[in-house]
Amino acid sequence: MYKDIFTKKLNKSNVILTILSLIISLSWAIKLDREWGFDFGIYYTAAAFFSDNYELYKEHLEIKGPVYYAFLFILGKIIGFGPLQAIISLFLTAYLFVSTVLYISNKYTKSFLKKLFYILLCGSILFYQTTNASISVFQLSLLLLSFHYLYEQ
C-alpha cells in the first residue's frame, strides 16, 4: 500500500498533507486523556487479556469481529499496555483511516486542494466522534482499502 507513496518523490504538498494527517490523528487520540470511551475501554482491555487461557467470545461477550482486537493485541505486544499506549493505539487507528484516504486520493487526483479537502473531511468526521467510534474508524479504513482494490481489478 505505501510502496507507491515511498517510491514517488517527496514533494512539498505530500509532506504538508502527511503532517496534517498526523496532527488530525493525534488530536483525536488525545481525546482519550479526557474521555475514555466505554467501548474503547472494552476493546483495549479485552486485547490486553488475550492469551491461551482467555477466549474472546467465551469469557468476554462481544458481537464485534476479532480483527480490531487482534490489531490492538499486536500493538500491545509491541508497545505494551497502559494509558499512554492506549493513546498511541488510538492514534494509529485514526492514522490508518486518514492515511488510507490520503493514499486513495493520491491515486485519483493530483489537485492539492482536493486532497486537502479530503483530509479535512476526515478531520471533521473524527472531530465530533467519541473514542467509542474507534472500531468504526478501523473498519472504515479496511472497507475503503477493500473497495479501492476491488475497483482497481
Side-chain angles (χ1 to χ4, degrees), residues 113-144:
L113 289 178
K114 284 183 181 178
K115 293 176 195 177
L116 180 64
F117 173 75
Y118 297 143
I119 298 304
L120 292 176
L121 188 62
C122 288
S124 68
I125 288 170
L126 292 174
F127 186 73
Y128 284 109
Q129 297 297 323
T130 65
T131 58
N132 289 331
S134 62
I135 197 165
S136 299
V137 170
F138 182 77
Q139 290 171 339
L140 185 56
S141 306
L142 298 180
L143 282 171
L144 287 172

Side-chain angles (χ1 to χ4, degrees), residues 11-148:
N11 58 24
K12 188 177 179 181
S13 65
N14 281 341
V15 171
I16 290 170
L17 292 171
T18 301
I19 290 171
L20 183 60
S21 299
L22 290 167
I23 290 170
I24 288 171
S25 302
L26 185 62
S27 65
W28 189 62
I30 292 209
K31 282 178 143 181
L32 196 58
D33 187 45
R34 296 183 317 274
E35 176 262 322
W36 188 288
F38 181 76
D39 291 350
F40 180 74
I42 290 174
Y43 307 143
Y44 194 71
T45 304
F49 284 112
F50 270 1
S51 69
D52 292 336
N53 300 331
Y54 183 81
E55 296 179 29
L56 178 62
Y57 297 104
K58 183 178 178 187
E59 298 181 41
H60 175 83
L61 181 60
E62 183 57 63
I63 58 171
K64 308 288 188 199
V67 178
Y68 190 54
Y69 290 99
F71 175 75
L72 291 174
F73 175 73
I74 292 168
L75 282 177
K77 286 297 183 185
I78 295 169
I79 62 175
F81 288 97
L84 178 61
Q85 291 86 345
I87 291 172
I88 294 169
S89 298
L90 194 60
F91 163 74
L92 291 173
T93 300
Y95 187 67
L96 177 66
F97 168 61
V98 180
S99 66
T100 299
V101 171
L102 181 58
Y103 170 73
I104 293 171
S105 65
N106 274 331
K107 292 283 249 180
Y108 295 106
T109 185
K110 295 196 184 310
S111 168
F112 173 75
L113 289 178
K114 284 183 181 178
K115 293 176 195 177
L116 180 64
F117 173 75
Y118 297 143
I119 298 304
L120 292 176
L121 188 62
C122 288
S124 68
I125 288 170
L126 292 174
F127 186 73
Y128 284 109
Q129 297 297 323
T130 65
T131 58
N132 289 331
S134 62
I135 197 165
S136 299
V137 170
F138 182 77
Q139 290 171 339
L140 185 56
S141 306
L142 298 180
L143 282 171
L144 287 172
L145 282 174
S146 299
F147 291 145
H148 167 68

